[in-house]
């Protein structure tokens, strides 16, 4: 997942304003207690940040690949 795909998925799933709030304020335990913005700035892959955000926000599993983003190949 590219950063642009992360931003698209975030906006599509949560809306622009709320998505920005989540990325800035929601502490993601899975990423060492960092927010999505902090994790991305520290070099964590957007995919890992997106998945942690989905888990923490109770996004249904079927939407974890991100709206408008191709599902990962297994």
């Amino acid at each position: 997942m590219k950063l642009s795909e992360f931003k698209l998925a975030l906006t599509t799933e949560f809306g622009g304003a709320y998505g920005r709030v989540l990325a800035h304020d929601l502490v993601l335990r899975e990423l060492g207690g960092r927010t999505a913005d902090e994790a991305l700035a520290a070099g964590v892959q957007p995919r890992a940040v997106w998945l942690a955000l989905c888990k923490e926000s109770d996004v249904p599993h079927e939407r974890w690949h991100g709206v408008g983003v191709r599902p990962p190949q297994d």
Side-chain angles (χ1 to χ4, degrees):
M1 173 180 265
K2 298 175 186 176
L3 183 57
S4 61
E5 293 172 324
F6 170 84
K7 290 179 180 181
L8 173 64
L10 183 68
T11 299
T12 304
E13 182 65 41
F14 298 106
Y18 187 57
R20 286 190 300 277
V21 168
L22 285 178
H24 186 263
D25 293 339
L26 181 65
V27 173
L28 303 169
R29 293 173 286 186
E30 188 173 317
L31 299 178
R34 294 181 281 195
T35 66
D37 287 345
E38 292 168 339
L40 290 168
V44 177
Q45 292 295 313
R47 182 99 188 122
V49 176
W50 173 248
L51 291 175
L53 187 60
C54 286
K55 292 172 190 173
E56 197 72 34
S57 301
D58 294 324
V59 172
H61 191 267
E62 61 270 10
R63 294 200 312 256
W64 284 12
H65 68 276
V67 177
V69 178
R70 290 174 301 183
Q73 301 297 325
D74 291 331

